[in-house]
Amino acid sequence: MSYVLKRIGTFIWMLWVATTLNFIIPRLMPGNPAEALYGKFQGQLSPAAMQAMEIQFGVNTGVPLWKQYLTYLWNMLHLNFGISYNFYPTKVSTIIGHSLPYTIGLVGISLIIAFAVGTVLGIYGAWKRNGALDSIQSPVLLFLQSVPAFWLGLMMLFYFGFIKGWFPDSHAYSDGATPSFTWGFIGDLLWHATLPGLALILTGLGGWMLGMRNMMVQTLGDDYITFAEAKGAPQRTLMLRYAARNAILPNFTGFGQALAAVVSGSVLVETIFSYPGIGYTLQQGILAEDYPLIQGIFLIIAVVTLFANMIVDILYVRLDPRAENGGDAA
């Protein structure tokens, strides 16, 4: 229980640090979002309009910094990230709420598939090491792992999208389609997500397979595996219950950390396919110098990353109690 409370305390502390840095860093930069938006109008706005925009963006120079900070914390608690001036007057929370489901659906499902398939391949590859499957899958998946996902996505987009015309080349659904929970629209979503999803899956398989295979090979050499085999334990039990159950712990930790990265999306892959996820939205915000949007997205990424790491640490102790005492036997 003390370990859990310690991890929660660390999460709260790091969350405060991330939130505070997210407030301070943009204010150390020259200018502010209101001035950038004011410049887009080529001086056509009055000074009163400039002051009103500063208040709306939360950067009013007439308000003390500590009051701005308290207002900022209050707004964060209510998920009020301000106004995006690239999509003015849309709220940042509205833009993130629209983009996040697409990223979770694309990157999240791709990650789960890559993790599950890669882990299974790693288990069987180690169990039948130097066999036909292991001899083929290891070099192929390691090669795919070395290929950037955006480059593989470009190649797939060029061949299957432009040359063959089998798959759409952009967006998350067809023009004119109305988002709804119908089989037709869901099928359209899956059709548009096929190429970017495959690019993410194929380039991610190698890492999960290699990590699981190496841990399985190491675990299979432990004394308790030899002892269980000498007692006549079935081969399936040895492979799954004894070896794989212990070897999967590092992969499980990596999976938890990778889940946190799902929220940040895959910026280059989403940009190539013009997929309206959080990565593509972040890229648009950076190009337009949309500080409120960038700030809101970074804060969401930081919060989810910290929370996911905390959950993984707590669950890891449940799977391996030795971790609570720094790896010593319980």
Side-chain angles (χ1 to χ4, degrees):
M1 187 63 182
S2 60
Y3 177 83
V4 174
L5 293 176
K6 182 179 179 181
R7 296 306 305 165
I8 294 175
T10 302
F11 166 75
I12 295 174
W13 164 253
M14 295 303 298
L15 178 60
W16 175 79
V17 171
T19 304
T20 302
L21 289 175
N22 202 40
F23 169 81
I24 294 175
I25 292 176
R27 285 162 176 79
L28 295 178
M29 301 172 63
N32 59 55
E35 292 179 356
L37 182 59
Y38 183 79
K40 290 185 177 182
F41 288 93
Q42 301 296 325
Q44 298 176 7
L45 297 179
S46 64
M50 173 68 177
Q51 185 178 10
M53 285 192 298
E54 286 183 339
I55 295 174
Q56 191 173 33
F57 286 120
V59 292
N60 188 3
T61 55
V63 178
L65 191 62
W66 66 270
K67 286 188 176 181
Q68 293 184 37
Y69 180 63
L70 293 179
T71 302
Y72 163 81
L73 291 179
W74 177 259
N75 290 335
M76 292 303 102
L77 289 175
H78 293 79
L79 298 180
N80 180 9
F81 303 113
I83 305 295
S84 167
Y85 67 80
N86 187 38
F87 303 97
Y88 187 85
T90 307
K91 292 183 177 180
V92 170
S93 57
T94 301
I95 298 173
I96 294 177
H98 177 76
S99 303
L100 198 54
Y102 290 105
T103 289
I104 293 176
L106 174 65
V107 185
I109 294 176
S110 299
L111 171 63
I112 293 173
I113 294 175
F115 171 77
V117 175
T119 299
V120 171
L121 291 176
I123 292 173
Y124 282 94
W127 189 255
K128 302 290 185 179
R129 56 187 178 277
N130 300 323
L133 175 64
D134 189 43
S135 300
I136 295 174
Q137 74 172 10
S138 294
V140 171
L141 293 183
L142 287 178
F143 169 76
L144 288 175
Q145 183 189 14
S146 65
V147 176
F150 73 89
W151 185 86
L152 181 60
L154 274 175
M155 297 300 102
M156 295 171 67
L157 178 63
F158 176 73
Y159 184 75
F160 296 111
F162 290 103
I163 295 181
K164 293 296 185 179
W166 293 345
F167 295 96
D169 55 9
S170 63
H171 208 56
Y173 51 86
S174 301
D175 295 337
T178 302
S180 59
F181 289 100
T182 61
W183 289 114
F185 181 73
I186 293 174
D188 193 34
L189 278 178
L190 295 176
W191 186 43
H192 280 73
T194 299
L195 290 184
L198 280 176
L200 294 172
I201 292 171
L202 292 176
T203 54
L205 277 175
W208 299 116
M209 183 280 298
L210 183 63
M212 190 65 194
R213 183 187 184 280
N214 291 343
M215 287 304 302
M216 274 288 292
V217 170
Q218 180 179 340
T219 303
L220 288 172
D222 289 344
D223 293 337
Y224 72 90
I225 298 292
T226 305
F227 180 72
E229 188 174 12
K231 290 182 62 177
Q235 294 294 300
R236 183 181 179 86
T237 301
L238 283 174
M239 179 178 66
L240 299 178
R241 184 176 178 182
Y242 289 92
R245 182 178 179 180
N246 290 279
I248 201 174
L249 291 177
N251 254 25
F252 174 78
T253 303
F255 178 70
Q257 294 172 345
L259 277 177
V262 166
V263 178
S264 62
S266 181
V267 177
L268 293 177
V269 172
E270 290 184 2
T271 301
I272 289 169
F273 290 92
S274 297
Y275 198 82
I278 205 74
Y280 180 63
T281 303
L282 177 61
Q283 183 255 0
Q284 287 183 308
I286 292 174
L287 292 178
E289 299 181 351
D290 190 344
Y291 301 127
L293 181 58
I294 298 171
Q295 191 175 14
I297 292 176
F298 280 164
L299 183 61
I300 291 293
I301 293 173
V303 171
V304 173
T305 300
L306 291 172
F307 182 76
N309 286 334
M310 179 188 70
I311 296 299
V312 168
D313 288 343
I314 294 174
L315 292 179
Y316 193 92
V317 171
R318 296 286 297 178
L319 294 173
D320 187 2
R322 296 172 298 176
E324 184 172 358
N325 299 316
D328 298 331

